[in-house]
Amino acid sequence: MYVSISALAVLFAAAGFTQTTLFRKTLRATLYKLVESNLNASVYIGEISGNLFTGLSVDTVAMYVNNASFVEARNVVVRYDPLSLWYKRLSVASLEIDKPSFSLIRFADGTWNVDRLAKKKSAPDSLPSPWVVALKSVHIKDAHFRLIDSMSQSKSESPSQATPQTINFSNLDLQKINIELSATVSEQEQSVSVKNISFVSPREAFTLTKFSGDIHHSPTASEVKNLLVVTPRSHIELSARANSVDAFKIKDIAALQFTPVEASISSTVVAAEDLQKFLPSLNFLRGSTRLECSLAGEFGAIRVTKLQAVFDHSTINLSGTVSNLHRPMDLTMNIESKGTLIQPSDVPKLLPFFHIPDYGNVGNLALDFHYVGRPLDFQVVATASTPAGRIRVDGSLDLTGEAMKYHATFGGSSVNLEKAFSKLSLRSHLNFSGTIQGKGTSIDELHSALTLDVDSSSFGRIPISHLHSTVNAEEKK
């Protein structure tokens, strides 16, 4: 009884002492000594309040590396459970940081300011740590993040010369950053639940309205669940999972061949303008596309059960298999499209850069096709039907050599060129079939043969009962 009372008295006395001015001064002095002995940085720590047993707050924190700001924050409040330390668990009930500013700088010699921070670099601990860090609530309000990469700027465009629409990752300036999340981290497993991340990049006129989702990693699985990305123009919902692999230990993509994977995209709208902020090579696209996708299988042989893209009045439906992702040079696809519908007027709106004529007068294009092969060597069977007629193609294309090789049989029925080109003089009713085979496209290398048969047709007022034509092209000697 006496021991218990004594222990309680010591605890109450300690709790009372941690709230005194003397304790706060001692704590600040201790922190300054730790910084001085371990970091190449100048630090300012403002007024400390609270106590050591339930939580502390600091009204101002600032850290400078090489006389340049590294971290600044107006107010930091942390609440924790000290008893959890007994069980080798660092349990933080809440961490709130108000108006922080982070600056990540790479100097001309290739080093980052964060690399210069520590005075001594400790050797990595080879033994697994039994500690668990649990962050129940992290809230960062109105933050500012700045990244300056002097090495990238010297090798490419300066920030003032960079395309205004493209995010400049060598001179990044993110403002109004708000982060709300929770996390649990141990040696074996890491889980992060992001309630919201948002920011504004004013120079590039890009706003991330919401980023949320659950991320989990273990030695046997990695998963992103209910990922949501929202901008004023786009809305993306994504889930993905990889089993039987430790994502942190992947050294070669070939090792993923037999890894079970699955992913789904739903209720997604992607704006071309947002894509171009990160992929400027897509600046030829315009408008927004609605996407849905579902895939599963092994990484080396993925089954795409559904891939649907909708642009304005057009819908593309795809399904099939994608093989050899673990060996990109041998990538092969077996893709089928059924029920694809293209409104010709949508094409020039999606691809205005190419000045494609508007063939809206043709009417909707119903397209079915089957594609088998590699990106540069494939076979395709396709049927296209419109109010202007029906065309079918069964052919192959090989772009792997110096000269393009091709072979195809084709045909058409009830084709009316008047509807395609909006010219009365081209009124026709054509039924034809033919073959083409050869290699090359330029005069110097062309070697090709074309046969064409037209039957039971008419062009204008001219009837064509039968027409056979053969064209041969030989390379220039």
Side-chain angles (χ1 to χ4, degrees), residues 302-304 318-323 331-337 369-374 378-379:
I302 294 177
R303 300 184 307 275
V304 181
L318 301 175
S319 62
T321 59
V322 179
S323 303
L331 179 68
T332 59
M333 294 177 284
N334 189 332
I335 303 296
E336 189 173 24
S337 175
F369 69 83
H370 188 188
Y371 172 106
V372 179
R374 296 182 294 169
F378 57 87
Q379 295 178 319

Side-chain angles (χ1 to χ4, degrees), residues 217-410:
H217 166 264
S218 73
T220 59
S222 296
E223 182 177 24
V224 177
K225 190 175 182 181
N226 300 324
L227 182 69
L228 175 63
V229 180
V230 181
T231 75
R233 294 171 292 266
S234 300
H235 180 106
I236 301 171
E237 295 185 26
L238 167 69
S239 293
R241 181 179 177 87
N243 294 315
S244 305
V245 67
D246 188 340
F248 289 170
K249 295 183 179 180
I250 297 172
K251 296 181 179 179
D252 187 351
I253 192 174
L256 296 174
Q257 179 177 2
F258 301 108
T259 300
V261 296
E262 57 183 273
S264 63
I265 299 174
S266 60
S267 304
T268 289
V269 177
V270 180
E273 188 175 347
D274 285 337
L275 283 177
Q276 291 155 12
K277 302 293 183 184
F278 303 92
L279 300 170
S281 59
L282 299 178
N283 62 2
F284 57 86
L285 292 173
R286 293 294 182 271
S288 298
T289 302
R290 296 193 299 275
L291 293 173
E292 285 192 29
C293 179
S294 179
L295 60 86
E298 294 180 344
F299 187 79
I302 294 177
R303 300 184 307 275
V304 181
T305 54
K306 178 182 181 181
L307 174 56
Q308 184 181 79
V310 179
F311 177 82
D312 210 350
H313 300 95
S314 300
T315 301
I316 298 174
N317 296 309
L318 301 175
S319 62
T321 59
V322 179
S323 303
N324 298 330
L325 273 175
H326 63 291
R327 295 197 311 268
M329 294 298 293
D330 298 322
L331 179 68
T332 59
M333 294 177 284
N334 189 332
I335 303 296
E336 189 173 24
S337 175
K338 290 185 177 180
T340 289
L341 185 68
I342 305 295
Q343 183 10 280
S345 295
D346 291 341
V347 178
K349 288 189 289 186
L350 178 65
L351 305 168
F353 178 82
F354 297 103
H355 304 289
I356 299 172
D358 186 346
Y359 292 107
N361 291 331
V362 175
N364 289 342
L365 169 68
L367 178 65
D368 293 336
F369 69 83
H370 188 188
Y371 172 106
V372 179
R374 296 182 294 169
L376 299 180
D377 185 8
F378 57 87
Q379 295 178 319
V380 64
V381 179
T383 301
S385 300
T386 75
R390 184 173 183 268
I391 295 176
R392 63 188 182 280
V393 176
D394 183 351
S396 63
L397 183 63
D398 183 356
L399 301 172
T400 58
E402 292 183 4
M404 178 176 67
K405 296 179 181 179
Y406 44 88
H407 177 270
T409 60
F410 58 90

